[in-house]
Amino acid sequence: MKTQTTTLSLIAGLTLAGPALSNDRDDRLRLVVPPWPGVTVKSEIFSQLIEPLGYTTETLEISSTVGYSTLQSGDSDAFLAGWMPAQQESYDAAMEADAIVDLGNNVNGARMGFAVPDYVYEAGITRAEQLADPAIAERFERTVYSIESGSTITDMIDGAIDSNTHGLEGWELMASSTPGMLSEVNGAVEQQRWILFYGWTPHWMVPEYDVHILDDSADIFGADGGRSDVKTIVARDYAEANPNLARLLDQFELSAEEQSEFILEYSLKERDLEDVAHDWLVDNPERVASFLEGVTTRDGEDALSAVEAGL
């Protein structure tokens, strides 16, 4: 169970030792869904999961910043993409207002940093510190590829070059759009050339190019080597009034690898959103059962049987 006892004590009536209460106040869940592939598919999976339980979902296609405001104002109920520390300011403001409950990570393994394809990693390049080796730097042509110029990420890499972190002084930073950067990665992979670029997970690049993120003792991309939390954030009033659905929200948890795979299906292969979500639920019955442990339908019936029948 990902949620700490101290957090659960804030949700009135939510007892994880036994079945959740079935007398939820609401039969509708309003999800904040920024236009990002990962949270788009993840939210659709959750929506299809709760429909057979007697709930409907409304998706609010708004930015994360606006989303935190709606969670505080009562105009939305939950958000499945609370990236930390990237959203720390908005998150802290909502917490200080006592408006939200943090149910912990719903994606394990989220991370960003310098990245290489598998054949480079297998050649022994596993740590950013190795970039200081002149021979290794030459293999990369002293070039690092990144996303948009002026982005926070590109500023981080610029700072590392300016400060000669990991011997990066003199390296060239090639910043372009995300598709532009990934086009460079694709070309390098086809030719088995060494390439260093900004990577992150979950993303389709991970399964498509077998991407590895380098360990980084200097924490250029954030604490703990660029590792991130992706939290489930729920409006406090909603969590307290809906303990059954709050339990399901708490137990809905994926790995970065799982999310990367369905991002690949939706974003790169351009499959229909509803089909990608439905197929994931059908193909992962054990994961679905773990989400539904101790959860009932809204009228108190067995949740797993209802979902299996609905799929």
Side-chain angles (χ1 to χ4, degrees):
M1 191 68 61
K2 67 185 178 202
T3 309
Q4 297 179 356
T5 303
T6 52
T7 301
L8 288 178
S9 66
L10 299 175
I11 306 177
L14 181 56
T15 305
L16 297 191
L21 299 177
S22 59
N23 58 336
D24 281 359
R25 179 192 66 192
D26 299 295
D27 61 4
R28 179 184 65 164
L29 175 68
R30 296 169 298 174
L31 283 174
V32 172
V33 185
W36 311 330
V39 69
T40 297
V41 180
K42 184 165 51 177
S43 297
E44 178 63 22
I45 289 172
F46 196 83
S47 297
Q48 291 189 22
L49 183 63
I50 67 173
E51 183 177 359
L53 305 183
Y55 302 91
T56 60
T57 308
E58 177 184 346
T59 58
L60 307 176
E61 297 180 1
I62 53 181
S63 70
S64 60
T65 303
V66 175
Y68 280 100
S69 296
T70 62
L71 288 166
Q72 293 183 74
S73 66
D75 293 316
S76 68
D77 305 316
F79 179 35
L80 300 178
W83 282 78
M84 302 299 154
Q87 299 168 8
Q88 200 69 52
E89 185 176 351
S90 296
Y91 171 89
D92 287 345
M95 288 295 286
E96 288 171 9
D98 200 29
I100 60 173
V101 174
D102 177 354
L103 295 184
N105 267 347
N106 63 61
V107 176
N108 293 316
R111 192 180 179 193
M112 61 183 183
F114 288 127
V116 296
D118 180 66
Y119 55 88
V120 178
Y121 193 84
E122 290 298 320
I125 309 305
T126 61
R127 307 185 319 278
E129 295 91 322
Q130 294 172 276
L131 301 174
D133 184 323
I136 291 174
E138 286 302 318
R139 289 293 303 271
F140 288 117
E141 299 181 347
R142 297 185 185 274
T143 301
V144 56
Y145 294 85
S146 183
I147 58 174
E148 291 80 5
S149 179
S151 67
T152 301
I153 296 303
T154 298
D155 289 345
M156 288 175 174
I157 299 174
D158 266 328
I161 292 173
D162 290 343
S163 62
N164 197 30
T165 304
H166 302 319
L168 289 173
E169 186 177 18
W171 282 56
E172 183 177 6
L173 172 59
M174 300 291 288
S176 64
S177 65
T178 298
M181 182 192 75
L182 291 175
S183 177
E184 292 287 347
V185 174
N186 183 71
V189 169
E190 287 182 347
Q191 299 174 22
Q192 297 287 285
R193 287 186 289 106
W194 281 31
I195 185 169
L196 181 73
F197 58 98
Y198 167 63
W200 66 94
T201 182
H203 192 274
W204 61 256
M205 74 175 78
V206 177
E208 180 70 5
Y209 303 125
D210 205 357
V211 168
H212 296 265
I213 296 175
L214 304 183
D215 290 334
D216 177 14
S217 61
D219 288 341
I220 292 170
F221 298 92
D224 196 21
R227 290 172 175 82
S228 299
D229 292 331
V230 186
K231 295 174 174 290
T232 298
I233 310 296
V234 186
R236 177 176 294 278
D237 173 70
Y238 191 89
E240 293 176 346
N242 299 284
N244 185 56
L245 200 53
R247 175 167 183 150
L248 179 52
L249 282 162
D250 178 60
Q251 294 176 171
F252 184 66
E253 188 173 353
L254 303 160
S255 69
E257 290 77 12
E258 287 173 322
Q259 186 160 320
S260 293
E261 289 289 350
F262 60 64
I263 291 172
L264 176 74
E265 294 295 317
Y266 172 63
S267 187
L268 184 62
K269 296 184 179 180
E270 299 183 339
R271 291 186 58 214
D272 181 77
L273 173 62
E274 290 76 14
D275 290 343
V276 172
H278 178 267
D279 288 352
W280 192 91
L281 288 167
V282 170
D283 292 342
N284 292 274
E286 293 182 358
R287 307 286 285 113
V288 170
S290 70
F291 300 157
L292 296 172
E293 184 178 352
V295 176
T296 70
T297 65
R298 190 166 181 270
D299 58 7
E301 300 299 321
D302 181 69
L304 183 57
S305 296
V307 169
E308 290 173 343
L311 294 176

